[in-house]
Amino acid sequence: MIENRWLMLAVLFAARTAIAVQFQTVASSSASLIAALAIDFTSLGLLIGLYMSPGIVISLPGGVLGQRFGAKQIALLGLALMVAGGVMMGLSASYAAAAIGRVVAGTGAVFFNVLVTKMIADWFASREIVIAMGTLVSSWPFGLALAIVGFAPVAAAHGFAPIMHLGALAALIALALVAMFYRDPPDMPDEGAARLSLDLTRREWVLVIIAGLIWAFSNVSYIVMVSFAPELFTQRSFTPVQAGWIVSLFGWSLIPSIPLWSFIAARIGRPNLMMHGSFAITSGALVALALSDSMLVPVALIILFNGVPPGQIMALPAQVLRPQSRAGGMGVFFTVYYAAMAVLPGGAGLARDLTGSAAAPVLFAATMMVACIAALSLFVAAERVLRR
């Protein structure tokens, strides 16, 4: 049994890596896309964002479908859509066709992303859930790193089409791995008898929504930081290339730090204290980064502590949902996440426009960390009240 669950984690880690690889295809072939499809940077940005946008409306139905027809079946459907969408993009001769392919691939990615967390929870809910979720979450920066390193030379030599097909190939390999190797744990309830509806208790509704907010605030802070910090660095005498390398450290460091911190958290057994501490330290470091000329210590603190929360946050819904409600509950969790991700980063841009300061978005990222502290405190209080 122990060997089986670690095999399941390895398979799902590899499969989820394909989402990050495919997500990066547009950014890594941006110059070729702009030239071939005759688009501007605004259209390119929209094309990048279209991969995530289906999550607002697809997460909840995806969870319900997984609850009714089985997580593996809907996860495979998601991977198949990723393959189809990637092929469509590779064959696109117009922006509209590329956008349709991007939405199809993104829809599949949402289906898989919702169900893969449920599948990990099924195997690890009773033990080592934080380590498992931390390892799973690290597949995102790992996949991005692979794509960033491997795609740019191919795009420069051969254009955007091979990159899109490579993204589809990654999804096809993931589909084959899941189809051949993934199995539900033997003690799982029969999902085939589940209704095509949500069956969450009041406790599950409340706690999963709050957990989704924590995950959203944390991710918004990170996205805003890596998106807007380069401008701050360039204003402080760094070249754009140097600024990009500094920001890239935030991502590269997450690959080892998320699993490592998840392992430490599982051994210490004080997840809420660790998350509160990391949110506070990261928020303070972001404020110092925005307002102080000294950058070494704030950057080091962010790199050191930004990997503490992800695995522990992702473990929260797995710990409060019953096995028969995990699929639908993860749909609720990701609906909250995708909705917040669609709206909140715009606040950082608004702060930049209103103040005219490159420090404003970084302070916005710090505010999101404070929001994480408030939401986690609310989660702890709600869990205590609802347990009674």
Side-chain angles (χ1 to χ4, degrees), residues 158-373:
H158 303 288
F160 76 89
I163 301 301
M164 302 306 160
H165 291 314
L166 285 172
L169 177 62
L172 181 62
I173 294 172
L175 189 154
L177 286 173
V178 175
M180 288 189 297
F181 295 108
Y182 182 79
R183 299 291 183 271
D184 288 326
D187 55 349
M188 275 296 297
D190 181 16
E191 290 179 304
R195 294 178 296 170
L196 195 62
S197 62
L198 283 175
D199 186 24
L200 303 183
T201 65
R202 183 181 67 165
R203 176 178 181 272
E204 289 172 330
W205 271 106
V206 171
L207 294 179
V208 165
I209 288 173
I210 299 173
L213 287 173
I214 301 170
W215 185 236
F217 294 150
S218 175
N219 277 272
V220 168
S221 178
Y222 176 76
I223 291 298
V224 168
M225 176 179 63
V226 298
S227 299
F228 289 92
E231 183 190 10
L232 184 68
F233 295 148
T234 56
Q235 288 187 359
R236 297 178 177 176
S237 302
F238 290 93
T239 68
V241 173
Q242 291 171 332
W245 273 106
I246 294 171
V247 171
S248 74
L249 293 175
F250 297 141
W252 285 104
S253 64
L254 290 176
I255 299 173
S257 70
I258 293 176
L260 178 60
W261 276 116
S262 298
F263 176 82
I264 293 172
R267 291 294 176 264
I268 293 177
R270 300 292 299 275
N272 294 334
L273 178 62
M274 288 186 65
M275 283 190 284
H276 272 122
S278 68
F279 292 145
I281 292 171
T282 304
S283 178
L286 286 167
V287 171
L289 184 64
L291 302 181
S292 170
D293 291 333
S294 176
M295 296 172 49
L296 180 60
V297 173
V299 168
L301 288 174
I302 293 169
I303 289 173
L304 182 59
F305 289 100
N306 208 37
V308 175
Q312 300 180 76
I313 299 173
M314 287 299 292
L316 293 177
Q319 292 166 346
V320 302
L321 291 167
R322 294 164 296 150
Q324 63 268 32
S325 63
R326 280 183 193 138
M330 294 311 301
V332 174
F333 176 88
F334 277 105
T335 297
V336 174
Y337 162 73
Y338 282 115
M341 285 291 288
V343 175
L344 290 177
L350 179 62
R352 175 68 179 85
D353 291 337
L354 291 177
T355 64
S357 170
V362 179
L363 291 173
F364 182 90
T367 303
M368 289 294 98
M369 285 285 106
V370 175
C372 287
I373 295 174

Side-chain angles (χ1 to χ4, degrees), residues 28-39:
S28 291
S29 56
S30 57
S32 176
L33 278 167
I34 290 172
L37 303 182
I39 59 176

Side-chain angles (χ1 to χ4, degrees), residues 7 22 72 82 84 87 93 108 120 123 130 136 143 174 179 184 195 209 224 226 240 247 260 311 330 373 385:
L7 173 62
Q22 189 173 66
K72 181 177 178 178
M82 288 172 61
V87 171
I120 289 293
W123 278 99
V130 174
L136 183 71
D184 288 326
R195 294 178 296 170
I209 288 173
V224 168
V226 298
V247 171
L260 178 60
M330 294 311 301
I373 295 174
V385 170

